[in-house]
Amino acid sequence: MSLLILSDVHAGYGKMEVLHGIDLYADEGEIVTLIGANGAGKTTTLNAICGLVRITEGTVTFRGREITNWPTKDIVRLGMTQVPEGRKLFSELTVRENLEMGAYLRKDREGVRRDMEYVFELFPRLRERAGQLAGSLSGGEQQMCAIARALMARPQLLLLDEPSLGLAPLLVEQIFEILQRLNADGTTLLLVEQNARMALEIADRAYVMETGRIIMQGPAKELIHDPRVRSAYLGEP
Amino acid sequence: MRKTLRRSWERLQRQNQERPARWLGTALVALFLFLVLIGPFLPLSPQYRSRAADIFLLCVIYSIIALGLNSVTGYTGLLDLGIVAFASIGAYTATILYDRPWMQFPGSFLVVLLVGGLHAALWGLLRGAPTLRLSGDYYAIVTFAFAEIVRIFIRTEGWLTGGGNGFKNFPAINLFGARLIEGEYQGILKTSGYWEYPHGGVWHGGTAGFYYLSLVLLILTVVVMYRLEDSRTGRAWFAMKADETSAAACGINLSAYKLYAFAISAFFAGVGGALLGFKMNVVSTNVFDFWFSVVVLCGVVLGGMGSIPGVIAGTFIVYGLGELLREQVRIGGIVLQVDDRARFLFFGILLVLVMVFRPQGLFPRRPVEESKKLAVEYDSPLYRLGR
C-alpha cells in the first residue's frame, strides 16, 4: 500500500473550488513531483493534504489511515511535514530555535539532539548561523533552514513547496542535491516545483497539473521527453 | 529563573567586553532600578516627594497592564486596541467585591485582586473564542468594539457599577494588619497609609505600602512573562506571529495558544486595572476610556513590542512624561502649563520620532543589528539576481 493516497480530492477557498478531483499517490522511498503553471492548484493540493485547506469531497490516506480534514498538528504527529512556499521562517527566533520548533511535538530529547546534528551536517552553513536570528539569513540559507526545520519533525513524508523559489541557480542545485540525499536516507518526498526541469531530473514519478486537475502523469524520465511537457514547461520548441 | 539571570549576566559581560561603552547603559539601568526601589522615599521636599511617589506608583501599575497587553500584541502580533476592557473589568470586579461586608478578612485584598484578574481572563477567552480567525485590522476593530461594549455596559448598568459617576471611596485596604491606603475622593485625591506596630506605635508611610505591594506584583508579572517567553508556549507564540502556516506545520495548535495568550493578557490587565482603581480610590469610565488603551499601547510600541524591559521602560516614559507635563513650570513671572488635552500631542510626536528613527522600539527584544550585519555579507549580487 502506498504511503500517501489522494483519491478524487476536491478542495477550495470558500465557495470557490480550486481542486476538481485530484488522484495521486506516493510510495515509500519515492520522489514524486507535481509540476504546473501558476494557479494550477499545486500549493492548494499540498495544503489540502496537510489539513490547511478544507477538503469538500474525496479522501486523503496516509500510512493506511484516512486523514481527510484532520487538524494539522495531528497530521504532523503522524509523520508528515510541509516546507511552505517562500520559506516562512520564524524570523524573531534564532536558527537553532527554529530547528527546535520543528521538533515541537517530539518528546525524545536524545533523538532531537541527534537529528539536530544530522541537519547541521546536511547544511553546515546553518551550524555557523545557529545563534543568529532567522530573519537575518540570506534567501538560500533561509530555504536550508526551512527544510532543516521540517526535517526536525523526523517526517516519513516531506512536502516541499517550491524550494527553488527565488534562489540563484547554483543554490538551487545545492538544494536539490540535498533533497536527493534525504531521499536516499529514507524520506519520501512530494515536491511541488515550477522549475520543472530540475524537478523531473531528480523525481521518480511526476504529475502535471493544470487548472485544478491532473492532466498527465508517469515516470519522470518519460515525461521529461514528452513533447507537450517540453514545450509547455521546459521552454523548448 | 536562575538560568535566565545567569544567561543575561553572561551576555552582559560579553557585550561589555566587546564594547566598553555599555557600562554606561548598565549604570543607567542600575540607577533606574534603584530609583524605582526607593520610589516613595526620594530625597525631595515633602510636597515633591509625594508627587514623585505618586508618579512612580502609577508607572508601576501601568507596567503590569502594559505587560498584559504585550503578551498579545508583542508575542502573537495581534493589535489590541481594547486593553481597557479588561482593566476596567478587573477594577470594577475587585472594587465591587471589596465593598461587600463578607469580604473583610485578612488578606482579602489579594483575593479580590485575583478574582478581578480571573474575571478579566474569562472575558478574554469569551472575546477571543469567536475571533480566532481574525487578524490585523479586523482583530483590532473587534477589540475596540468590545472595549466600547464594556464601557457602555458600565455606564448604563448603574445599579451595579454606579453608572457614569463611577464608584468611589472604597474601604481602606488592610493587608495583614498594614493599612496600605485609605483615602477620600473630594475633587483632589488624598491617600495615606500607616502601619501599626504590634508592640505599639504607628508608622505613617503614606502610600509606600501600596507602592511596594504593586512593585512586588510587577516583579511577579515580569518573572511570569520571562518564564512564558522562554517556554514552549512563548516559542509557539513567536512562531505564530511570524507565520501561521509554518507554525501549524510544526504541529502547533494555533487556536489553543491564541486563547492562552488572550487569557494571560486579560488576567494581568485585570489585576493592574484593579490596583489602579484602588490607587485612585475611584473607578469610572472617565478613567477607563478609549485613550487608556491608546496610551498603554503607546508605551508598548515605544519601548519595543515583545520586549519585557522595553515595555516597562516605554510605560515609564509615557506615563512619567504624561504626569510631568501636568506640572506647572514658573519661569520668572510666567506660568507655563500644558493643556490637559494637549498632552496627547507629545505622545504623538514621541511615537512618530520612534517610528522614524527606531521602528523596532527603544529596547527591542533581541538586538537585530548584529545579525543583520552578517547577513549583508552574504547578500551577493548573484543572489539578488536570482530573486
Side-chain angles (χ1 to χ4, degrees):
Chain A
M1 184 154 185
S2 302
L3 187 66
L4 176 79
I5 305 167
L6 273 69
S7 73
D8 192 33
V9 166
H10 293 252
Y13 306 92
K15 284 209 173 104
M16 194 181 67
E17 192 178 89
V18 176
L19 305 180
H20 315 291
I22 300 289
D23 287 288
L24 116 187
Y25 70 92
D27 283 326
E28 209 157 345
E30 270 190 320
I31 300 183
V32 178
T33 179
L34 196 58
I35 57 178
N38 281 334
K42 304 178 304 266
T43 300
T44 309
T45 307
L46 287 196
N47 284 345
I49 293 173
C50 56
L52 290 164
V53 169
R54 210 169 163 73
I55 296 172
T56 47
E57 222 185 299
T59 58
V60 180
T61 315
F62 177 58
R63 293 176 66 185
R65 272 202 249 183
E66 198 197 312
I67 58 162
T68 318
N69 287 328
W70 273 26
T72 307
K73 66 180 169 63
D74 296 331
I75 295 176
V76 173
R77 208 184 288 271
L78 206 58
M80 180 198 305
T81 318
Q82 186 184 179
V83 181
E85 187 177 0
R87 276 85 78 167
K88 302 285 173 60
L89 291 180
F90 307 136
S91 48
E92 285 184 44
L93 301 180
T94 65
V95 169
R96 185 184 297 278
E97 285 164 351
N98 264 272
L99 300 183
E100 285 167 359
M101 287 307 292
Y104 200 74
L105 292 175
R106 292 175 59 180
K107 298 270 183 277
D108 53 325
R109 279 164 183 272
E110 204 38 57
V112 171
R113 200 166 307 143
R114 259 203 314 278
D115 284 1
M116 185 86 79
E117 269 309 303
Y118 173 68
V119 299
F120 278 151
E121 214 177 287
L122 279 180
F123 305 104
R125 177 56 71 69
L126 292 185
R127 195 198 298 272
E128 296 166 25
R129 299 262 175 276
Q132 204 173 312
L133 293 191
S136 66
L137 298 180
S138 79
E141 290 163 348
Q142 288 195 13
Q143 187 62 59
M144 292 176 193
C145 188
I147 295 173
R149 181 180 64 191
L151 288 177
M152 289 302 292
R154 193 183 278 176
Q156 258 187 302
L157 174 65
L158 189 60
L159 312 176
L160 293 131
D161 199 351
E162 306 254 3
S164 72
L165 189 75
L167 298 186
L170 211 64
L171 275 171
V172 175
E173 242 166 77
Q174 225 181 332
I175 297 271
F176 274 70
E177 268 166 34
I178 286 165
L179 292 184
Q180 276 178 298
R181 182 168 159 206
L182 275 179
N183 181 247
D185 288 351
T187 313
T188 310
L189 305 179
L190 177 56
L191 174 66
V192 159
E193 259 302 338
Q194 292 224 30
N195 190 338
R197 185 192 309 278
M198 288 295 286
L200 288 172
E201 269 170 23
I202 68 162
D204 298 304
R205 287 184 310 108
Y207 293 88
V208 182
M209 270 189 93
E210 218 163 70
T211 58
R213 290 190 178 79
I214 300 231
I215 54 160
M216 247 191 267
Q217 57 178 300
K221 301 282 164 297
E222 283 174 27
L223 281 185
I224 208 168
H225 297 298
D226 189 291
R228 285 171 298 173
V229 174
R230 291 181 75 90
S231 70
Y233 300 108
L234 301 180
E236 288 170 17
Chain B
M1 185 63 198
R2 216 162 52 206
K3 216 165 99 186
T4 317
L5 277 179
R6 202 185 55 218
R7 227 182 293 156
S8 43
W9 174 245
E10 280 166 5
R11 203 181 66 205
L12 194 70
Q13 282 187 316
R14 210 165 46 238
Q15 286 168 348
N16 286 336
Q17 273 166 7
E18 285 159 17
R19 286 176 48 189
R22 283 202 187 244
W23 280 118
L24 182 67
T26 313
L28 281 176
V29 170
L31 177 68
F32 172 73
L33 291 178
F34 179 69
L35 285 179
V36 170
L37 205 61
I38 62 161
F41 303 111
L42 290 177
L44 299 166
S45 69
Q47 178 205 351
Y48 281 112
R49 187 192 303 148
S50 72
R51 183 83 179 102
D54 204 49
I55 294 176
F56 268 107
L57 177 55
L58 210 62
C59 292
V60 166
I61 293 175
Y62 274 110
S63 293
I64 297 176
I65 301 173
L67 284 171
L69 174 65
N70 183 49
S71 63
V72 164
T73 299
Y75 294 158
T76 66
L78 290 165
L79 183 61
D80 190 327
L81 290 177
I83 197 68
V84 66
F86 304 119
S88 57
I89 289 172
Y92 274 93
T93 309
T95 50
I96 289 172
L97 270 182
Y98 199 58
D99 223 8
R100 299 279 175 259
W102 39 266
M103 256 303 171
Q104 311 305 318
F105 53 86
S108 65
F109 181 64
L110 295 180
V111 174
V112 297
L113 283 186
L114 187 69
V115 173
L118 290 176
H119 189 207
L122 174 71
W123 283 99
L125 289 175
L126 289 176
R127 188 192 79 183
T131 56
L132 281 173
R133 294 191 154 267
L134 297 183
S135 60
D137 305 350
Y138 305 102
Y139 180 79
I141 290 169
V142 169
T143 59
F144 171 64
F146 180 75
E148 282 302 291
I149 293 170
V150 170
R151 193 176 66 88
I152 290 165
F153 175 88
I154 289 169
R155 286 187 80 88
T156 50
E157 302 300 314
W159 59 275
L160 181 68
T161 60
N165 296 327
F167 205 55
K168 45 186 89 137
N169 289 333
F170 313 120
I173 297 170
N174 285 307
L175 196 67
F176 306 114
R179 180 153 290 205
L180 296 182
I181 246 184
E182 69 181 345
E184 43 198 298
Y185 189 86
Q186 290 164 336
I188 48 162
L189 177 71
K190 287 191 206 153
T191 47
S192 63
Y194 59 83
W195 170 272
E196 279 178 46
Y197 292 109
H199 305 291
V202 177
W203 175 70
H204 291 275
T207 53
F210 194 69
Y211 179 78
Y212 286 111
L213 176 72
S214 304
L215 193 58
V216 167
L217 290 176
L218 173 61
I219 291 168
L220 279 178
T221 310
V222 168
V223 170
V224 168
M225 289 297 166
Y226 267 116
R227 297 301 298 150
L228 273 173
E229 211 178 68
D230 219 16
S231 69
R232 284 172 70 80
T233 313
R235 294 282 167 79
W237 285 341
F238 282 115
M240 280 160 48
K241 180 183 178 183
D243 184 65
E244 296 201 351
T245 310
S246 307
C250 289
I252 292 166
N253 186 343
L254 299 178
S255 315
Y257 280 114
K258 263 192 197 172
L259 283 177
Y260 194 13
F262 294 153
I264 292 275
S265 163
F267 176 80
F268 286 103
V271 172
L275 282 174
L276 194 63
F278 285 112
K279 184 232 165 257
M280 296 185 300
N281 207 22
V282 56
V283 286
S284 96
T285 46
N286 295 333
V287 179
F288 295 106
D289 60 356
F290 173 61
W291 293 106
F292 182 105
S293 307
V294 173
V295 179
V296 173
L297 183 66
C298 187
V300 171
V301 173
L302 189 75
M305 283 193 274
S307 148
I308 293 167
V311 167
I312 295 175
T315 308
F316 268 80
I317 290 171
V318 166
Y319 285 97
L321 183 72
E323 290 301 306
L324 288 180
L325 286 175
R326 279 179 203 263
E327 297 291 325
Q328 289 182 349
V329 181
R330 281 171 209 276
I331 303 173
I334 315 157
V335 179
L336 294 174
Q337 188 171 22
V338 181
D339 185 272
D340 218 32
R341 287 156 298 180
R343 289 187 300 143
F344 287 110
L345 197 65
F346 287 88
F347 296 157
I349 293 170
L350 200 60
L351 214 54
V352 168
L353 288 178
V354 168
M355 288 299 103
V356 171
F357 293 107
R358 213 174 151 83
Q360 70 274 39
L362 293 175
F363 306 95
R365 193 173 93 87
R366 282 178 171 174
V368 230
E369 294 90 350
E370 288 143 45
S371 33
K372 260 190 194 152
K373 248 182 285 160
L374 281 166
V376 173
E377 280 171 43
Y378 288 95
D379 194 8
S380 67
L382 191 67
Y383 159 57
R384 258 179 271 140
L385 212 77
R387 189 150 66 177

